[in-house]
Amino acid sequence: MSEPPVDELVLDTGPLSHLAEAGWLGVLRTVAAPRAVVITDAVEHELRQGSHSRPHLQQVLNAEWTKKHSLVSGTEIASFAHFSEFLVSGSRNVGECSVLAYAQAHKATAVIDDRAARHLAQDAGIACQGTLGLLCEAIRAGLLTTAMVGSLADHLIETKYHLPFLPGGFEAWANEHGIISPNEN
């Protein structure tokens, strides 16, 4: 018998950083509710390191609606070690590994945009969403409009966040991929 999923989102550094830089961090709180938003110790460390040159990261670190978590249990550490074998190179992708480890240990949903990490999540049976998937889910739930997400996506692109379309292209991309129905536009 499988355990029921935990109602938590555990986020990687990229989505948090770029949403804050684009001025849309508050939308994440709305989109995530009523789920808890978890930030692992490795992601928190990456945010702190970057906050000296990118002050918007302090908004994420100060967000009281997030839950900080250090990976300390044997299950979490073993999972982190497993994912590290595939993803970590020097200091790169430590945050992604911690997100996957937390999601696997706590049956949470990982919010990661890195393709390799998403493939590992899929192989491990971890629930995983990208930033755009989370935003499209919010459109389908009636929390956000297509126009609002289109504007948000354009602002993410301005922060040099890689998205699969050019500025102004969210709605066409979402319709082309059947992510939102025409009634939700």
Side-chain angles (χ1 to χ4, degrees):
M1 183 173 180
S2 65
E3 297 176 35
V6 175
D7 230 5
E8 292 180 320
L9 299 175
V10 54
L11 276 88
D12 190 24
T13 307
L16 289 166
S17 171
H18 286 272
L19 283 167
E21 185 175 358
W24 289 91
L25 185 63
V27 168
L28 177 60
R29 182 179 189 181
T30 299
V31 168
R35 299 168 288 193
V37 175
V38 177
I39 297 176
T40 64
D41 51 352
V43 168
E44 184 178 13
H45 177 72
E46 290 176 354
L47 292 167
R48 282 199 194 289
Q49 282 190 318
S51 68
H52 302 295
S53 60
R54 302 169 63 198
H56 63 272
L57 297 179
Q58 197 61 46
Q59 295 172 38
V60 181
L61 295 166
N62 294 342
E64 294 179 5
W65 47 272
T66 63
K67 177 178 129 184
K68 311 296 189 290
H69 181 86
S70 295
L71 302 180
V72 293
S73 76
T75 301
E76 293 168 335
I77 300 300
S79 183
F80 180 85
H82 168 73
F83 293 119
S84 293
E85 289 180 33
F86 300 99
L87 288 177
V88 172
S89 174
S91 62
R92 293 183 51 108
N93 299 329
V94 174
E96 284 89 344
C97 289
S98 72
V99 168
L100 292 175
Y102 183 91
Q104 186 172 51
H106 298 275
K107 308 232 180 295
T109 299
V111 179
I112 291 179
D113 289 324
D114 178 85
R115 184 176 299 184
R118 292 171 57 96
H119 284 298
L120 279 175
Q122 185 177 13
D123 291 347
I126 297 170
C128 186
Q129 266 189 320
T131 303
L132 287 176
L134 194 63
L135 295 171
C136 289
E137 176 188 284
I139 292 171
R140 290 189 295 271
L143 297 171
L144 303 176
T145 65
T146 301
M148 180 183 287
V149 172
S151 180
L152 190 160
D154 288 350
H155 289 144
L156 287 175
I157 291 170
E158 288 172 7
T159 69
K160 310 287 185 221
Y161 206 55
H162 176 73
L163 295 178
F165 47 82
L166 297 173
F170 169 74
E171 186 174 338
W173 172 84
N175 283 327
E176 180 182 321
H177 291 85
I179 294 171
I180 53 175
S181 73
N183 294 335
E184 294 163 329
N185 292 332

